Amino acid sequence: MPTLPRSLLIKPASGDCNLHCTYCFYHDRPSDPYRAGHQRRMTRQTLEVLIQQGMALDREQAVFGWQGGEPTLCGLEFFEQVVALQKKYGTAGQSVSNGLQTNGLLLDADWARFLRQYNFLLGVSLDGPAPLHDHYRQYVHGAPTHARVREALRLLDAYHVEYNILSVVNDVTGSHGAEIYDYLVGEGFRFLQFIPCVERDPTTGRPTAFSVRPEQFGDFLCEVFDRWYNGGEPEVSIRDFDAILAVYLGQEAPMCCYQEQCGGYLVVEYNGDLYPCDFFVQEDLRLGNLSTLPLEEAFESATLRRFAEAKAKPRPECAACAWLALCHQGCPRFVGPWSGNRHYLCRAYQQFFAHSHEKFLALRDRLLERMGTPPEEYPPDPRRPVGRNDPCPCGSGKKYKHCCGRRATP
């Protein structure tokens, strides 16, 4: 199981939202009991049970993530109750981390003061400059949202609230990697995360038209990486790149998609239902409910263990891949019969890993040199040696001997 602190992803308003983004994965799921368009709110009773148990999971560090839908729909008073209950059930010396993922539309000065006072870390959705952001991120009646999000971000800056920018990479934004990076950095944002949009059409079972294509996402990552690398002196944080760099430094990647197993957090729905992952909220993976299954027991449940271990079950194409130590077969949500039981974005990541490999090694060496680490103690190169008949690391889909291996032969 992952060694990172056990954390909770809590959906106090379930899938309810005040936007109608075309690519939202809560849309068009008639059988989903938590889908968008149905107002649901976590009760005070469920909240108190959740906080009491959540604070007891780790007496050194309690980690709460508040997501949705749109969690601010629960109102500021709800989150004031959150903090009051954390104080009530916390112990001396225990640290508490609260993360809040939001579209920013409901934030005002009262919200900003509260978030700053209690050191909430926000993730604010912004897909890039207005034409790209507003293409899919619209109000229910179709009006654009970019201007309102920028207003909210300026408010957070004024109150010194810490936040990251979350950008969805879809079929439109996926063709503008360098432009989006330049825009975000030019606006002064220094903590970025790029999230690939891959959703399946409920009627065809195939990826939707707004999903980013594998080759498109590969190009996007390479473009953004080249900007980020900055001659070996990155000036901003990009979550995926930081996670991959950690592996080059001999550490565990601090993102579940790059770890050997899943199972490092639990999803808590508005009514206390528990699931192993926000992308696998489905009845056969329902662990139970807070009212009858304490969080401590849920983390130790057989269902969660089976879910966690499923990621590590070897797939032939991954076993032979040079980059297995970096991605550990990737996020399971991108794998299924609809993708030929192959990771849908596999070639995108192969392309990116091949493109960035030498520069990640250079960053590793530079950082360790500054730390005074002797070269003989540097972690090994995470890339596995490539055989002539192995898949080419560049992601072409060809055997190495018929691709880059042929070009490398004298």
Side-chain angles (χ1 to χ4, degrees):
M1 298 289 285
T3 58
L4 297 176
R6 294 182 297 183
S7 59
L8 302 172
L9 190 160
I10 306 155
K11 297 159 63 178
S14 196
D16 198 17
C17 190
N18 51 351
L19 284 184
H20 195 274
C21 304
T22 305
Y23 55 61
C24 178
F25 72 87
Y26 286 112
H27 292 166
D28 301 321
R29 298 190 178 198
S31 62
D32 185 351
Y34 313 107
R35 64 189 182 277
H38 293 255
Q39 187 178 95
R40 299 178 177 88
R41 302 290 183 268
M42 182 173 285
T43 66
R44 169 60 188 255
Q45 180 181 6
T46 300
L47 177 62
E48 182 153 9
V49 173
L50 166 65
I51 298 298
Q52 182 179 16
Q53 295 184 15
M55 295 298 290
L57 283 174
D58 188 329
R59 287 304 182 182
E60 292 186 4
Q61 181 181 11
V63 183
F64 299 86
W66 306 92
Q67 296 190 23
E70 177 51 46
T72 60
L73 288 172
C74 290
L76 180 55
E77 182 181 356
F78 175 88
F79 286 94
E80 290 172 338
Q81 292 176 357
V82 166
V83 171
L85 290 168
Q86 289 172 340
K87 291 179 179 179
K88 177 180 178 180
Y89 291 108
T91 56
Q94 183 180 23
S95 67
V96 182
S97 299
N98 283 295
L100 178 68
Q101 186 169 321
T102 178
N103 56 38
L105 302 184
L106 297 179
L107 300 181
D108 59 16
D110 289 337
W111 269 104
R113 279 189 289 267
F114 168 82
L115 296 168
R116 179 67 183 93
Q117 180 179 358
Y118 293 105
N119 297 313
F120 274 60
L121 174 62
L122 269 61
V124 182
S125 297
L126 181 68
D127 286 355
L132 297 176
H133 174 95
D134 289 334
H135 188 88
Y136 286 134
R137 298 191 64 83
Q138 301 174 356
Y139 287 101
V140 175
H141 51 77
T145 61
H146 184 273
R148 177 66 189 97
V149 176
R150 287 298 291 114
E151 180 183 342
L153 289 167
R154 285 189 286 270
L155 179 68
L156 295 178
D157 287 334
Y159 282 87
H160 306 288
V161 178
E162 294 188 21
Y163 61 86
N164 301 332
I165 296 296
L166 311 179
S167 299
V168 174
V169 185
N170 51 60
D171 70 311
V172 174
T173 58
S175 298
H176 300 273
E179 178 186 352
I180 291 172
Y181 178 88
D182 290 346
Y183 168 78
L184 295 176
V185 174
E187 291 292 298
F189 305 129
R190 290 295 179 266
F191 296 90
L192 313 177
Q193 181 179 354
F194 297 104
I195 305 166
C197 174
V198 180
E199 296 299 325
R200 280 173 285 165
D201 188 308
T203 58
T204 66
R206 302 300 302 163
T208 58
F210 54 73
S211 296
V212 66
R213 301 179 301 280
E215 64 277 10
Q216 187 183 30
F217 189 55
D219 290 343
F220 180 94
L221 289 174
C222 292
E223 281 187 27
V224 172
F225 178 84
D226 288 344
R227 289 287 208 273
W228 172 82
Y229 184 70
N230 190 39
E233 297 289 347
E235 296 179 339
V236 302
S237 168
I238 295 181
R239 190 183 182 202
D240 283 76
F241 298 171
D242 292 347
I244 294 166
L245 180 58
V247 179
Y248 277 85
L249 290 168
Q251 304 167 10
E252 181 180 39
M255 289 179 66
C256 58
C257 61
Y258 299 121
Q259 294 173 351
E260 291 187 59
Q261 294 189 4
C262 304
Y265 75 92
L266 291 179
V267 171
V268 185
E269 268 291 349
Y270 79 103
N271 61 353
D273 284 347
L274 303 173
Y275 295 89
C277 175
D278 195 28
F279 297 108
F280 290 90
V281 175
Q282 54 196 56
E283 184 56 33
D284 62 326
L285 288 174
R286 181 178 177 273
L287 306 177
N289 186 280
L290 278 175
S291 61
T292 55
L293 180 67
L295 291 173
E296 186 71 44
E297 294 181 20
F299 271 109
E300 300 300 327
S301 69
T303 301
L304 181 62
R305 183 170 59 254
R306 286 194 297 270
F307 176 80
E309 293 171 351
K311 180 185 180 184
K313 291 181 179 179
R315 299 197 299 271
E317 72 276 9
C318 294
C321 180
W323 309 113
L324 181 59
L326 291 178
C327 76
H328 291 294
Q329 303 192 128
C331 180
R333 77 182 181 100
F334 296 119
V335 182
W338 60 276
S339 65
N341 291 315
R342 178 187 177 93
H343 194 288
Y344 177 73
L345 296 175
C346 176
R347 291 188 181 174
Y349 284 110
Q350 288 179 325
Q351 176 189 349
F352 168 66
F353 291 145
H355 179 83
S356 61
H357 177 61
E358 294 299 331
K359 291 180 179 177
F360 269 125
L361 285 176
L363 282 175
R364 178 202 67 178
D365 294 352
R366 182 169 301 183
L367 289 171
L368 293 178
E369 181 181 6
R370 290 174 179 174
M371 295 167 59
T373 305
E376 61 270 19
E377 296 182 11
Y378 287 8
D381 186 335
R383 191 181 102 157
R384 187 182 66 80
V386 186
R388 295 182 71 248
N389 291 311
D390 288 343
C392 191
C394 74
S396 66
K398 300 177 182 178
K399 290 184 178 181
Y400 180 65
K401 65 183 179 183
H402 295 312
C403 191
C404 296
R406 179 177 57 194
R407 295 194 290 271
T409 301

